[in-house]
Amino acid sequence: MENFTFHNPTKIIFGKNTESQTGSEVKRHASKVLLHFGGSSAVKSGLLDRVRASLKEAGISIVELGGVAPNPRVSLVREGIALCRKEGIGFILAVGGGSVIDSAKAIAVGVPYSRDVWDFYEYVASPEKALDVGVVLTIPAAGSEASNSSVISNDELKLKRGLTSDLLRPRFAIMNPDLTCTLPAWQTACGAADIMAHIMERYFTNTEHVDLTDRLCEATLRTMIANVPLVLANPSDYNARAEVMWAGTIAHNDILGTGRVGDWGSHGIEHEISA
């Protein structure tokens, strides 16, 4: 087993109707928030309205920035950085899946940085501070709700790059499996593939004497194998949705990789293809 340091400060708030706690959680950190989200699904479901209501009830001032696309763009990140600076925002709330969360993280490290945020993704600079980020998760897939990573695309350069820093770990993640019940089957299956890839990138290792994390990886994979077919057959199966959602977090919050060397080759290939 390799030496390791495990540090994951993200508070997980899991279960039915937990989005109602958004305001009280944000209030612990800030009085003004950037509400960051993607397309129309959060609007149509009523989730954004519920989150806004919770924030307003807690006395939180809200500035909004929507429009996050899959494979989030650095162009919108730059827009968010400028908006946060202009409005004096100290906290970013991501409502959505991995793309929204990764975009929020990029904004968070970009606001206190005097140069272009893409420097971090080109590895010519390392972040030294960041705004706090919170999450209301809607898609179990990327695991970004409790990870220390962010992946951003640059359309001008046709590049997709990742940044890893413990500064990126969200302060909290609100996870209500009910919010995932309206996901299309295709998106559910793609998310499951992403979760399982996160596990396998850690599981297949040359490091010896990692019996505990071997078993943890296998248990998480077995959970996915057992529950994804149930979710696809019955999208409203709360218990199966809950298993998949929690597995997605465990797959990428680094606990499965403790003491072992992972192989992130498949993710590197994916970045090049989707860029």
Side-chain angles (χ1 to χ4, degrees):
M1 185 182 295
E2 303 287 338
N3 292 355
F4 69 88
T5 298
F6 177 74
H7 174 70
N8 194 318
T10 303
K11 179 180 180 180
I12 303 295
I13 303 154
F14 193 101
K16 292 177 179 290
N17 303 315
T18 46
E19 64 271 21
S20 65
Q21 300 179 42
T22 305
S24 59
E25 288 301 321
V26 172
K27 193 172 183 178
R28 300 173 189 271
H29 305 284
S31 59
K32 191 173 187 179
V33 64
L34 178 69
L35 180 58
H36 200 36
F37 55 94
S40 60
S41 60
V43 177
K44 290 179 180 178
S45 69
L47 174 60
L48 270 181
D49 283 340
R50 296 197 299 277
V51 168
R52 290 187 188 108
S54 180
L55 292 170
K56 290 176 180 177
E57 185 179 353
I60 307 296
S61 299
I62 306 170
V63 177
E64 298 190 11
L65 180 61
V68 180
N71 295 314
R73 301 339 189 234
V74 71
S75 55
L76 187 65
V77 169
R78 290 169 178 147
E79 185 179 336
I81 290 168
L83 184 59
C84 285
R85 289 172 178 169
K86 177 184 176 182
E87 298 288 342
I89 290 168
F91 192 94
I92 304 172
L93 179 66
V95 179
S99 294
V100 176
I101 302 167
D102 282 4
S103 183
K105 290 176 175 180
I107 295 170
V109 295
V111 171
Y113 184 58
S114 61
R115 301 180 63 183
D116 184 31
V117 68
W118 188 250
D119 287 352
F120 298 136
Y121 294 84
E122 286 278 35
Y123 318 122
V124 298
S126 297
E128 296 180 356
K129 52 186 175 180
L131 302 187
D132 288 336
V133 174
V135 174
V136 179
L137 185 65
T138 61
I139 304 172
S144 191
E145 66 274 4
S147 81
N148 63 351
S149 60
S150 164
V151 180
I152 296 294
S153 294
N154 188 319
D155 281 352
E156 295 176 2
L157 302 176
K158 298 293 187 290
L159 294 173
K160 183 176 179 179
R161 294 286 184 266
L163 169 66
T164 299
S165 168
D166 276 338
L167 292 171
L168 299 179
R169 292 197 193 272
R171 289 293 186 176
F172 65 82
I174 290 173
M175 301 169 59
N176 176 2
D178 274 338
L179 299 179
T180 72
C181 289
T182 56
L183 288 174
W186 171 253
Q187 198 164 23
T188 297
C190 289
D194 197 11
I195 292 168
M196 296 176 79
H198 288 152
I199 302 167
M200 288 186 278
E201 295 272 35
R202 293 172 168 92
Y203 183 64
F204 294 109
T205 181
N206 290 325
T207 307
E208 298 180 346
H209 305 297
V210 284
D211 290 350
L212 175 60
T213 45
D214 275 348
R215 302 295 86 76
L216 292 176
C217 288
E218 290 161 7
T220 313
L221 280 170
R222 286 177 180 272
T223 297
M224 292 297 295
I225 292 166
N227 285 278
V228 172
L230 299 178
V231 165
L232 293 175
N234 178 9
S236 298
D237 186 335
Y238 177 87
N239 290 321
R241 287 282 186 189
E243 295 282 4
V244 171
M245 195 176 217
W246 186 224
T249 301
I250 296 298
H252 205 40
N253 74 347
D254 290 336
I255 189 67
L256 301 185
T258 49
R260 56 201 298 142
V261 177
D263 178 357
W264 294 91
S266 66
H267 273 70
I269 293 169
E270 184 279 327
H271 288 180
E272 295 302 317
I273 293 172
S274 62

